[in-house]
Amino acid sequence: AGTGAIRAVYFAMVRPGDTVLVHEAPIYPTTATLFDRMGLRLIRADFHDPEALRAVADSDVGRQLRIVHVQHTRQQPEDRYDLAMLVPMLKELFPQARIVVDDNYAVLKTPKIGVEYGADVSTFSLFKLMGPEGVGCILGPQDVISEIDRQNYSGGGQVQGWQALDALRAMIAVPVLWAVQGKVVDEVASRLNAGEIPEVEKCLIANAQDRTLLIRFREPIARLVLEAAPSFGAIPHPVGANSRYEITPLFYRISGTFLERYPELADFMIRVNPLRAGADTVIRILREAIKEAKRCS
């Protein structure tokens, strides 16, 4: 759904070989595949560094730039750019370009999304907002939306009827569910950092797509814990990052983009998303999975 929305935007706005400015960080894999298949030329710059962006803007390629692609959520642990400042700066430096913001995982979790900060287009998946499968959302100017409609005129490309209403109903419930989930995250982190499970060295709360727990172990048992956790009630893989099908806690490796930057964390750290579970359930699964991991090590 999210990838399909981004694909529709790029099919409507660019042509193969066009130049796109991206942040100097690993690109989300499905987006990277889209860029590769479209033959887009990527220019990378550090979005934290105004001088680096200005240098691109002053170059020949910068003056011909068609698209600036911004991912709202972090692509790497040290990302800290604020869209409230970044988007206006990009519009000033690249007035001829369109600013496209991938707002996946940020909608209803942040004060505003890309278009509310002045970006030209925002895209996100409604499946990740507990909506039906395969439904994405694109917010943008009339010319972009009209071209997307033209390219997707057939019935298979249209979302209407029960699917549209189902997505709307889900978005009404999601903020309440995430408020409860956020309290569980706070409680689990507090209990683990207080020493409730001795094998845990530290527990961090991260806004890494979802508000999740990053749990670091004192010993390199992370992979074994992940192997054991499903036997005690965890799910091993996300279905859609807070999709309607995810109920029990997610015990998962830290994100691929983080591992690309810090591969050594694969043996020491896991990501836990409580989803619909309470703090006691999360800690019970973690304790039992650690016990099993130590038995097998």
Side-chain angles (χ1 to χ4, degrees):
T3 302
I6 293 173
R7 184 185 300 115
V9 167
Y10 277 88
F11 282 1
M13 296 177 64
V14 301
R15 296 291 180 268
D18 279 349
T19 302
V20 179
L21 176 64
V22 298
H23 180 38
E24 196 173 68
I27 301 172
Y28 197 73
T30 52
T31 305
T33 298
L34 170 65
F35 289 166
D36 178 64
R37 294 299 182 267
M38 289 193 71
L40 298 180
R41 180 186 178 192
L42 301 185
I43 304 298
R44 297 177 182 270
D46 186 352
F47 283 3
H48 306 111
D49 185 351
E51 293 306 314
L53 290 170
R54 191 165 287 108
V56 174
D58 291 339
S59 68
D60 290 339
V61 69
R63 285 188 283 271
Q64 300 172 13
L65 196 66
R66 294 284 304 279
I67 299 287
V68 180
H69 181 90
V70 181
Q71 183 173 309
H72 195 147
T73 58
R74 289 187 181 93
Q75 295 169 254
Q76 54 193 356
E78 57 266 37
D79 280 343
R80 62 192 183 280
Y81 54 75
D82 183 349
L83 260 63
M85 294 182 288
L86 178 64
V87 170
M89 179 171 60
L90 291 171
K91 290 185 75 67
E92 179 182 349
L93 292 173
F94 305 99
Q96 80 287 358
R98 293 283 182 88
I99 313 298
V100 176
V101 177
D102 177 354
D103 279 298
N104 272 314
Y105 307 107
V107 180
L108 301 180
K109 298 177 184 177
T110 56
K112 295 181 180 180
I113 63 173
V115 291
E116 294 177 290
Y117 288 120
D120 297 281
V121 178
S122 280
T123 78
F124 54 92
S125 167
L126 290 171
F127 181 59
K128 298 179 181 70
L129 295 171
M130 301 194 73
E133 301 90 329
V135 180
C137 182
I138 301 167
L139 303 174
Q142 184 64 52
D143 65 313
V144 173
I145 301 302
S146 295
E147 179 61 17
I148 292 171
D149 281 343
R150 188 190 69 79
Q151 293 182 9
N152 295 274
Y153 71 92
S154 65
Q158 301 294 319
V159 175
Q160 53 194 326
W162 71 267
Q163 285 184 305
L165 290 174
D166 203 10
L168 179 60
R169 283 193 294 266
M171 290 181 71
I172 294 170
V174 159
V176 178
L177 293 172
W178 283 345
V180 174
Q181 181 180 318
K183 289 187 175 182
V184 173
V185 167
D186 290 339
E187 181 180 342
V188 173
S190 178
R191 289 168 63 174
L192 291 178
N193 286 326
E196 186 162 335
I197 298 181
E199 292 84 357
V200 173
E201 178 181 335
K202 182 182 294 186
C203 180
L204 303 173
I205 297 174
N207 290 316
Q209 299 178 345
D210 290 316
R211 192 166 188 265
T212 57
L213 299 154
L214 298 180
I215 299 174
R216 184 179 179 107
F217 301 110
R218 299 183 188 279
E219 299 176 2
I221 59 173
R223 298 178 196 265
L224 293 173
V225 169
L226 293 180
E227 290 178 10
S231 299
F232 302 105
I235 58 173
H237 301 285
V239 177
N242 272 301
S243 76
R244 60 179 60 187
Y245 301 110
E246 295 176 319
I247 301 171
T248 59
L250 169 68
F251 278 55
Y252 194 43
R253 61 166 174 76
I254 56 177
S255 71
T257 49
F258 280 29
L259 287 176
E260 187 174 328
R261 190 67 176 264
Y262 303 106
E264 69 278 4
L265 291 180
D267 294 314
F268 286 92
M269 185 174 282
I270 65 172
R271 172 175 33 160
V272 175
N273 188 337
L275 296 170
R276 311 295 156 246
D280 289 342
T281 298
V282 174
I283 288 178
R284 174 189 61 77
I285 293 173
L286 180 62
R287 181 181 287 112
E288 293 177 346
I290 289 173
K291 182 179 178 181
E292 179 65 14
K294 293 174 70 176
R295 187 185 70 80
C296 295
S297 63

